């Protein structure tokens, strides 16, 4: 039966059942007409575990999945092809787990480093996000599963996320906050979009005619379905009259959702027209048709296979960023390494299972200590010292506790005093020639519902690092986290710094391979790492996280490096920065209309990958990731859709420009 005919067969009650949750992760189907329920799962670093239908109680024993690198790691790879592969894995696993919609990717702009969900998000730059999100979505949707790009729009903080009203000017909206979503719709052809919790210009994002009708559907031509964030709808009529299609929430009172009985009543009383309901149902039916949910030929997906882990490894390896490497301290030479000391809680911590809706039940997660020890083998004696204490946690037994969605299924224990740990680590560091510190943040800081208070490293890591550097100035520092941390106290005193975003189940192997030199690092920062918090524009103007009701994005489009450049503030590590174990040289720039050419040569001694970045008027306009053997030279051609007259620069970061030219009128 055609979907339009199907629509005519449906009763009002059946239609209403299809547009609101009748479980925390599904809508009702209509069995008499062969319409299945629509099944959702988080997202975005893998497929979340199964829950009971009406409670946040995990209830399955065969739902462990592949843990993929986070949005930050993916963006740090600057590699659209890899994004596509990661999408293929996510889609196949979601379908393999019987899902219709995977709730990701999350692409909100990193407006402040403090946003608790930055670890899920990708970048401060809209072009980089756009180039990564579109192939990622295409990859996901190949498996007859819908991506659900989130959170539309301007959801750039967790503080008061359910109510904060975002005031943003039109230029900033169009240049910074919307392009990623536009690319997800137009280039990625995402089947679904998730509205944000916050308000936008006085209206909840899920009630906003401007966001959902004018921009998303009329301007961008979106033909899919809009899903509410869980609990983002606050009024039946307001939401019913705009292009919001499916109301989901986190409480078990499914019949009382705004799009449940209250909507039925509103239609019966003539306050909402049935035609409005029909539009939503048609969007759901179209979605089901696109996902082949009415056909026998739907792909069946697959999860937890070695090929998926290989992709997780590839993304992790390209997403690791070498921030600093004086005296060629890295890579370490495995053959010469007889003793190695590894310090830090993040060396032995598993990250996947907490953090909010992005948490995962993984089959395994290789942490750095295991990754490095395993790769080094039996000829090297690896010693581990925790160095500082961090919170520990326990996942509840699923059936014995009443679990609230805010805390999920986790009980957190505060850290114990750590003087002994510190003393032990400093002593050992003074006795070892080779020391690697693995610290940074974990999901007690990078988590949903909360923003960080500041950029300072938790657990007094700064003090510890300084002491360690005093006894061992050659210590290599690895920082893990979802967004910038303050490294100002010791960044100048250390010779080597490596940055890793949450890197998935193979993260420890990828890190080991970068440190030991079998992988030449090629990640570049997708965000600016400042010396201090006040250097970020949202903080310098005192507009993060706003007041009781509003946050005003008064910095306009001066977000991230655009602000650092225009205000002439030197960052610790600039947007786009990332070192390699080889060197590259750029030459021969020519600009011909919108076609820009140059040459790139690997002038070092080893194979490497490099991201060549093109900026016009100091904004990133294009990039290409190039693979070159030692001595190899290649021409790069950038073909832009449009290019205004003015300066064009090409380089290896927003602050490392090697070639400049002028585009004439
Ligand atoms: C989050 C979404 C998530 C949803 C379902 C919400 O709290 O903001 O990103 O997809 O819950 O778990």
């Amino acid at each position: 039966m055609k979907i339009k005919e199907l629509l005519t067969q449906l009763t009002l009650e059946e239609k209403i059942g299809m547009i609101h949750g009748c479980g925390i992760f599904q809508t009702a189907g209509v069995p008499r007409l062969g319409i299945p329920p629509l099944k959702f799962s988080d997202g975005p670093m893998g497929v979340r575990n199964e829950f009971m239908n009406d409670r946040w109680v995990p209830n399955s024993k065969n739902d462990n999945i592949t843990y993929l690198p986070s949005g930050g790691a993916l963006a740090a790879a600057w590699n659209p092809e890899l994004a596509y592969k990661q999408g293929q894995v996510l889609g196949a696993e979601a379908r393999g787990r019987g899902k219709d919609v995977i709730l990701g990717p999350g692409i909100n702009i990193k407006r402040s480093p403090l946003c608790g969900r930055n670890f899920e998000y990708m970048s401060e730059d809209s072009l980089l996000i756009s180039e990564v999100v579109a192939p990622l979505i295409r990859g996901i949707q190949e498996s007859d599963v819908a991506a659900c790009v989130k959170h539309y729009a301007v959801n750039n903080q967790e503080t008061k996320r359910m109510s904060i009203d975002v005031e943003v000017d039109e230029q900033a909206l169009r240049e910074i906050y919307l392009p990623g979503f536009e690319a997800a719709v137009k280039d990625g052809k995402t089947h679904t979009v998730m509205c944000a919790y916050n308000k936008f210009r006085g209206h909840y994002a899920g009630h906003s005619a401007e966001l959902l009708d004018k921009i998303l559907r009329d301007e961008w031509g979106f033909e899919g379905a809009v899903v509410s964030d869980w609990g983002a709808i606050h009024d039946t009529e307001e939401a019913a009259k705009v292009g919001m299609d499916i109301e989901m929430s986190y409480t078990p009172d499914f019949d009382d959702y705004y799009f449940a009985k209250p909507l039925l009543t509103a239609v019966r009383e003539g306050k909402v027209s049935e035609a409005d309901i029909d539009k939503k149902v048609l969007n759901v039916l179209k979605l089901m048709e696109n996902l082949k949910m009415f056909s026998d030929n739907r792909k069946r997906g697959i999860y937890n296979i070695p090929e998926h882990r290989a992709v997780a490894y590839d993304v992790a390896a390209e997403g690791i960023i070498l921030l600093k490497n004086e005296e060629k301290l890295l890579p370490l030479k495995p053959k010469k390494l007889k003793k190695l000391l590894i310090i830090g809680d993040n060396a032995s911590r598993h990250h996947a299972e907490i953090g909010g809706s992005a948490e995962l039940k993984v089959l395994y997660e290789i942490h750095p200590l295991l990754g490095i020890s395993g790769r080094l083998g039996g000829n090297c004696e690896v010693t581990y010292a925790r160095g500082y204490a961090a919170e520990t946690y326990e996942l509840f037994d699923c059936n014995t506790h009443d679990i609230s969605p805010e805390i999920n299924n986790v009980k957190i224990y505060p850290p114990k005093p750590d003087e002994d740990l510190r003393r032990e680590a400093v002593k050992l560091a003074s006795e070892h020639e080779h020391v690697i510190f693995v610290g940074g943040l974990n999901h007690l800081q990078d988590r949903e519902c909360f923003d960080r208070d500041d950029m300072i490293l938790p657990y007094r890591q700064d003090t510890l690092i300084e002491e360690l550097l005093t006894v061992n100035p050659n210590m290599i520092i690895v920082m893990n986290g979802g967004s910038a941390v303050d490294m100002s106290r010791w960044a100048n005193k250390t010779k080597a710094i490596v940055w890793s975003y949450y890197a998935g189940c193979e993260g420890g192997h990828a890190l080991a391979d970068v440190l030991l030199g079998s992988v030449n690092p090629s990640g570049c920062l997708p965000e600016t790492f400042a010396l201090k918090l006040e250097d970020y524009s949202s903080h310098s103007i005192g507009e993060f996280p706003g007041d009781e009701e509003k946050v005003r994005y008064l910095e306009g489009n001066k977000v991230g490096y655009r602000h650092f450049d225009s205000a002439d503030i030197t960052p610790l590590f600039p947007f786009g920065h990332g070192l390699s174990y080889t060197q590259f040289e750029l030459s021969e720039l020519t600009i011909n209309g919108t076609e820009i050419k140059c040459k790139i040569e690997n002038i070092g001694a080893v194979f490497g990958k490099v991201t060549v970045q093109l900026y016009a008027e100091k904004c990133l306009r294009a990039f290409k990731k190039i693979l070159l053997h030692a001595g190899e030279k290649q021409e790069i051609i950038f073909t832009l859709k449009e290019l205004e007259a003015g300066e064009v620069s090409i380089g290896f970061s927003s602050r490392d420009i090697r070639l400049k030219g002028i585009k004439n009128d």
Side-chain angles (χ1 to χ4, degrees):
M1 209 183 311
K2 293 261 159 47
I3 53 174
K4 285 208 172 127
E5 277 171 50
L6 261 183
L7 183 67
T8 64
Q9 311 275 310
L10 289 164
T11 66
L12 181 59
E13 286 80 355
E14 285 168 339
K15 292 177 192 171
I16 298 266
M18 289 174 63
I19 58 171
H20 74 271
C22 72
I24 48 178
F25 281 113
Q26 67 172 323
T27 57
V30 183
R32 72 176 181 95
L33 295 173
I35 300 175
L38 200 58
K39 293 184 180 160
F40 303 84
S41 174
D42 284 302
M45 297 168 322
V47 191
R48 198 175 180 180
N49 60 286
E50 299 295 333
F51 290 98
M52 286 168 73
N53 194 49
D54 60 351
R55 301 177 70 196
W56 294 82
V57 175
N59 72 341
S60 171
K61 294 211 184 303
N62 61 347
D63 54 352
N64 307 63
I65 42 68
T66 304
Y67 170 27
L68 290 159
S70 59
L74 191 58
W78 293 62
N79 186 337
E81 269 172 48
L82 265 187
Y84 171 69
K85 286 187 186 160
Q86 171 141 324
Q88 286 181 310
V89 172
L90 187 56
E93 297 229 339
R95 186 79 277 281
R97 284 269 308 279
K99 306 301 173 193
D100 305 308
V101 182
I102 179 81
L103 303 172
I107 62 161
N108 295 91
I109 289 283
K110 295 186 174 188
R111 176 175 177 256
S112 153
L114 303 188
C115 173
R117 292 186 84 173
N118 273 352
F119 76 93
E120 294 179 61
Y121 302 151
M122 295 176 175
S123 174
E124 65 185 24
D125 181 75
S126 51
L127 179 105
L128 178 56
I129 295 173
S130 303
E131 295 291 315
V132 172
V133 78
L136 178 66
I137 290 175
R138 285 197 291 270
I140 292 172
Q141 297 192 159
E142 264 181 15
S143 285
D144 299 335
V145 162
C148 188
V149 64
K150 66 192 189 183
H151 308 87
Y152 180 67
V154 287
N155 179 186
N156 309 100
Q157 64 189 54
E158 292 299 283
T159 310
K160 302 199 180 72
R161 67 172 178 163
M162 295 284 189
S163 60
I164 198 87
D165 187 4
V166 178
E167 223 177 71
V168 54
D169 70 63
E170 195 60 23
Q171 187 185 6
L173 184 72
R174 297 292 176 160
E175 287 180 14
I176 308 290
Y177 297 98
L178 292 187
F181 289 99
E182 183 173 359
V185 169
K186 289 187 177 166
D187 302 340
K189 307 263 183 270
T190 187
H191 289 314
T192 74
V193 172
M194 184 191 291
C195 80
Y197 279 129
N198 49 277
K199 289 181 187 155
F200 165 74
R201 296 179 176 163
H203 300 277
Y204 283 108
H207 302 182
S208 167
E210 186 173 359
L211 285 178
L212 301 181
D213 297 332
K214 183 171 163 276
I215 299 176
L216 183 64
R217 295 190 195 267
D218 297 349
E219 270 184 43
W220 299 346
F222 178 65
E223 292 185 342
V226 176
V227 183
S228 79
D229 199 343
W230 269 230
I233 301 301
H234 302 266
D235 184 278
T236 301
E237 279 179 57
E238 273 189 30
K241 288 180 178 165
V242 299
M244 163 56 60
D245 298 311
I246 304 171
E247 184 201 5
M248 299 302 292
S249 193
Y250 50 82
T251 51
D253 52 343
F254 306 115
D255 290 343
D256 298 327
Y257 283 14
Y258 294 96
F259 275 13
K261 277 191 189 145
L263 184 55
L264 201 60
T265 310
V267 176
R268 288 197 176 129
E269 289 175 353
K271 289 180 183 151
V272 172
S273 74
E274 192 158 346
D276 278 336
I277 309 296
D278 285 353
K279 275 196 223 162
K280 301 178 195 305
V281 175
L282 205 56
N283 285 338
V284 174
L285 287 170
K286 260 192 299 183
L287 169 67
M288 291 180 163
E289 193 174 51
N290 279 329
L291 300 180
K292 303 209 180 83
M293 289 173 69
F294 301 121
S295 121
D296 292 335
N297 283 330
R298 189 178 190 194
K299 293 196 178 127
R300 69 166 185 268
I302 187 162
Y303 62 104
N304 235 333
I305 52 169
E307 291 82 348
H308 290 179
R309 293 165 212 151
V311 173
Y313 171 85
D314 289 346
V315 177
E318 283 206 23
I320 290 169
I321 307 164
L322 181 61
L323 291 175
K324 187 171 179 184
N325 192 21
E326 280 175 6
E327 297 171 22
K328 295 201 176 149
L329 213 59
L330 285 171
L332 297 168
K333 317 271 175 306
K335 275 190 187 159
K336 292 192 183 153
L337 221 52
K338 298 292 170 227
K339 285 175 88 181
L340 175 68
L341 172 65
I342 301 181
I343 304 174
D345 180 75
N346 270 342
S348 65
R349 180 171 283 260
H350 287 148
H351 294 291
E353 40 189 27
I354 61 169
S357 57
E359 66 197 24
L360 296 169
K361 181 173 156 191
V362 298
L363 182 65
Y364 70 93
E365 177 181 347
I366 306 287
H367 54 52
L369 180 59
L370 179 57
I372 297 167
S373 307
R375 290 295 204 244
L376 276 176
N379 292 345
C380 178
E381 186 188 317
V382 178
T383 306
Y384 175 58
R386 193 173 295 278
Y388 62 91
E391 294 90 340
T392 52
Y393 62 86
E394 194 183 351
L395 295 178
F396 283 144
D397 178 308
C398 36
N399 294 314
T400 53
H401 288 76
D402 198 11
I403 289 156
S404 103
E406 284 296 297
I407 58 161
N408 293 317
N409 52 334
V410 66
K411 184 165 167 49
I412 295 161
Y413 303 99
K416 300 202 177 77
D418 57 357
E419 271 311 293
D420 290 347
L421 294 180
R422 188 184 58 80
R423 264 196 296 269
E424 180 204 17
V426 174
K427 181 169 179 293
L428 284 168
S430 69
E431 294 162 2
H432 278 78
E433 186 187 345
H434 298 288
V435 184
I436 302 174
F437 178 87
V438 189
L441 307 176
N442 60 44
H443 283 313
L444 275 314
Q445 295 87 42
D446 282 320
R447 60 172 171 166
E448 188 170 342
C449 299
F450 302 92
D451 294 320
R452 279 188 283 156
D453 293 332
D454 52 46
M455 268 170 72
I456 310 283
L457 282 172
Y459 319 122
R460 302 196 307 134
Q461 288 177 74
D462 284 327
T463 311
L464 173 64
I465 292 172
E466 280 177 329
E467 276 188 55
L468 292 168
L469 285 172
T470 315
V471 297
N472 191 324
N474 286 336
M475 180 173 81
I476 289 154
I477 299 187
V478 178
M479 283 281 121
N480 174 86
S483 211
V485 295
D486 185 337
M487 305 185 215
S488 59
R489 270 176 63 181
W490 43 264
N492 281 338
K493 300 179 200 156
T494 180
K495 294 176 189 160
I497 309 177
V498 173
W499 179 267
S500 171
Y501 289 100
Y502 296 91
C505 56
E506 286 289 330
H509 281 147
L511 179 68
D513 292 344
V514 166
L515 296 174
L516 301 175
S518 58
V519 166
N520 190 348
S522 66
C524 297
L525 280 179
E527 62 190 296
T528 306
F529 278 10
L531 277 160
K532 54 182 192 301
L533 187 61
E534 300 72 48
D535 288 349
Y536 293 95
S537 53
S538 52
H539 294 275
S540 68
I541 57 167
E543 281 292 343
F544 186 96
D547 59 29
E548 277 306 304
E549 284 167 22
K550 274 195 181 188
V551 53
R552 298 165 183 84
Y553 290 9
L554 297 175
E555 72 279 16
N557 64 356
K558 297 291 181 284
V559 175
Y561 66 92
R562 289 165 160 87
H563 164 67
F564 285 79
D565 286 348
S566 69
D568 203 13
I569 299 169
T570 305
L572 178 60
F573 297 111
F575 174 81
H577 171 74
L579 302 173
S580 164
Y581 295 147
T582 185
Q583 292 86 47
F584 298 95
E585 194 172 78
L586 283 163
S587 61
E588 298 173 57
L589 172 66
T590 59
I591 304 171
N592 191 352
T594 54
E595 193 180 86
I596 296 126
K597 289 186 190 167
C598 66
K599 298 230 164 104
I600 174 98
E601 183 175 359
N602 182 345
I603 54 167
V606 289
F607 168 81
K609 300 180 187 177
V610 62
T611 300
V612 180
Q613 305 163 29
L614 186 153
Y615 295 82
E617 299 305 311
K618 299 202 156 143
C619 290
L620 181 72
R621 295 294 303 276
F623 62 87
K624 276 197 198 309
K625 190 138 192 187
I626 312 284
L627 287 56
L628 290 177
H629 290 281
E632 204 182 339
K633 191 170 184 176
Q634 194 179 310
E635 183 178 59
I636 307 176
I637 305 176
F638 295 101
T639 312
L640 302 189
K641 281 193 195 117
E642 46 196 38
L643 180 62
E644 316 76 41
E647 190 176 85
V648 173
S649 23
I650 296 190
F652 300 128
S653 88
S654 58
R655 293 281 172 119
D656 182 7
I657 299 302
R658 303 291 175 95
L659 303 172
K660 274 189 183 177
I662 297 290
K663 153 90 168 32
N664 299 314
D665 275 331

